[in-house]
Amino acid sequence: MTHILTLNAGSSSLKYGLYDATDPPRPLTTGKVGRIGGTARLSPADGPARDLPGVTDHATALISVLSELHNTHPKARVTAVGHRVVHGGLDYDAPIRLTPEILTKLDALSPFAPLHQPHNLAGVRAAISAFPDAAQIACFDTAFHRNHPFVNDTFALPRRYYEAGVRRYGFHGLSYDYIASDLAQHEPDLSRVIVAHLGNGASMCAMRDGRSIASTMGFSALDGLPMGTRSGQLDPGVVLYLMDQEGMSPGQITELLYNQSGLKGLSGLTNDMRDLEASSDPRAAEAIDYFTFRIRRELGALAVSLGGLDGVVFCGGIGENSAMIRARVCEGLDWIGISCDADRNAANARVISPEGSPVRVMAIPTNEEIVIARAALALG
Ligand code: ADP
């Protein structure tokens, strides 16, 4: 028996999965190193969690994951490693088996997603050293959105920027791919669906018949919703002001917009939604107000793009677990067919709208790992 390893480096987490290389891949174990950059903690799905002192970044987190897997599955023979890679640029609209040339091309896309792409590619390189004979497969977060209509793909800049790749790529594609396959299997009657992936990174996607037609994320993973530490949509005039009047360098603005803004910047407290929900500080409440306000604003815009709405799906750490955020998003939206049943919502039920509701509102745990494992099986 051979095995597939999946690696999914988020902005503050490293999720992993070990699978039998069967069709479909059978999960043996999954887990996560969370709060990287703070007090890193390893949480295997099937064992006790423990702190990882000394783990300060994604590369050291990966070493801990490999040692954990070596202890729990000493006989595993990894023949394919599937990686989440945030940016595939214009060239990659499907998973691909990596070569040194492709890896170099992907390095060149790091400025488009500086918070993720370098971590993803560091993970690829660490996996090549750990498993030199295994196939390395990249699965791109941008791929699911590559066929957007022109109006959702472009900015109103002179044409030459579009030709040079300054486009709306959209991200979280593996998560949306998973939700699309879940909906195709379990809710085949739903055509026009908005999916809200609400984690430390957050975005929304409008899908028609399982295909993305619009995303709140654009050229970079900064656009759209406010996130744990990212600003989300911002008037570009603010960036000009920071440069001209505050004398900030591109590096300082990058640090501000990617690492010091969003829920953390607005609350002045934390990027963690659980901690914000528990806080009595009025700034925590204002950060949550802004988060839900922007989700609702995008919901309206995406519903118009779809020409109506059949379903709404919440996923990601916040979307799957926070009944409060889901209730706040759905509040007073009966006029577009959205409502939320308090008991179903509190129980984290799959369908949280009342029976017979015109729009089916759901909370569906996403599974980016299985999407990666399927691709690694197919291409490994
Ligand atoms: P990443 O984008 O790093 O993969 P996740 O999808 O794991 O992030 O989501 C992390 C976010 O989910 C954090 O803000 C965390 O506080 C939030 N979260 C997790 N569980 C809950 C919960 N029960 N209630 C509210 N928020 C939660």
Side-chain angles (χ1 to χ4, degrees):
M1 173 66 75
T2 59
H3 299 92
I4 294 168
L5 174 66
T6 61
L7 295 175
N8 173 359
S11 43
S12 66
S13 64
L14 176 65
K15 294 174 186 151
Y16 62 90
L18 186 67
Y19 296 80
D20 279 334
T22 49
D23 191 7
R26 193 172 69 89
L28 294 175
T29 184
T30 58
K32 170 176 174 172
V33 180
R35 303 197 183 200
I36 299 173
T39 333
R41 194 167 169 78
L42 174 72
S43 311
D46 47 10
R50 62 175 193 277
D51 284 343
L52 296 175
V55 166
T56 50
D57 56 18
H58 290 72
T60 44
L62 179 61
I63 292 167
S64 297
V65 166
L66 294 180
S67 120
E68 166 78 9
L69 291 176
H70 187 70
N71 291 335
T72 55
H73 296 83
K75 295 206 173 119
R77 199 156 70 81
V78 173
T79 53
V81 186
H83 301 268
R84 172 189 178 206
V85 176
V86 157
H87 220 298
L90 290 179
D91 289 346
Y92 303 111
D93 61 1
I96 192 161
R97 190 168 170 157
L98 288 166
T99 61
E101 293 72 34
I102 296 174
L103 209 44
T104 306
K105 279 194 184 179
L106 297 178
D107 272 329
L109 297 171
S110 284
F112 291 174
L115 208 64
H116 289 88
Q117 192 90 338
H119 300 315
N120 301 156
L121 300 181
V124 172
R125 293 197 164 94
I128 292 172
S129 332
F131 306 102
D133 299 326
Q136 307 286 335
I137 315 298
C139 302
F140 301 104
D141 264 318
T142 48
F144 190 72
H145 306 288
R146 279 316 297 134
N147 294 307
H148 280 180
F150 177 73
V151 289
N152 269 330
D153 196 31
T154 194
F155 299 102
L157 291 171
R159 282 275 173 167
R160 71 182 176 85
Y161 293 99
Y162 181 76
E163 305 308 332
V166 181
R167 302 185 184 196
R168 299 185 59 87
Y169 290 94
F171 297 89
H172 291 130
L174 303 180
S175 175
Y176 294 131
D177 197 333
Y178 176 81
I179 298 295
S181 66
D182 176 290
L183 295 177
Q185 193 180 349
H186 301 293
E187 327 278 342
D189 54 320
L190 302 183
S191 169
R192 299 161 302 179
V193 178
I194 294 174
V195 184
H197 176 107
L198 309 178
N200 197 42
S203 71
M204 293 165 75
C205 174
M207 289 183 199
R208 184 177 291 123
D209 301 326
R211 294 175 70 95
S212 169
I213 64 151
S215 158
T216 60
M217 274 198 177
F219 173 67
S220 70
L222 266 183
D223 202 4
L225 303 178
M227 299 169 232
T229 61
R230 282 173 261 168
S231 61
Q233 190 271 328
L234 190 72
D235 176 345
V238 173
V239 177
L240 299 176
Y241 169 83
L242 295 174
M243 279 169 14
D244 284 347
Q245 303 301 320
E246 299 224 348
M248 288 177 75
S249 67
Q252 288 171 321
I253 295 175
T254 300
E255 169 64 16
L256 176 74
L257 299 185
Y258 277 94
N259 294 328
Q260 305 301 335
S261 299
L263 297 174
K264 181 180 170 188
L266 257 183
S267 69
L269 298 166
T270 172
N271 63 318
D272 194 288
M273 184 56 82
R274 271 167 301 197
D275 295 344
L276 289 174
E277 286 189 14
S279 170
S280 55
D281 192 311
R283 294 172 305 163
E286 279 174 357
I288 293 174
D289 286 349
Y290 184 74
F291 186 64
T292 51
F293 166 72
R294 295 303 300 218
I295 295 168
R296 287 159 62 86
R297 202 176 114 147
E298 297 290 351
L299 189 77
L302 295 173
V304 170
S305 293
L306 284 167
L309 198 56
D310 304 310
V312 171
V313 176
F314 290 96
C315 64
I318 299 170
E320 291 162 26
N321 297 303
S322 176
M324 190 271 269
I325 294 291
R326 292 190 302 253
R328 291 278 303 272
V329 169
C330 295
E331 209 172 281
L333 292 186
D334 306 69
W335 59 278
I336 47 169
I338 294 177
S339 52
C340 174
D341 177 278
D343 293 338
R344 290 180 174 192
N345 188 34
N348 282 332
R350 178 183 167 93
V351 176
I352 61 171
S353 48
E355 204 61 45
S357 187
V359 173
R360 201 171 307 152
V361 185
M362 290 166 282
I364 302 180
T366 195
N367 190 345
E368 293 162 313
E369 280 66 34
I370 193 69
V371 174
I372 303 170
R374 286 176 197 148
L377 180 75
L379 298 176

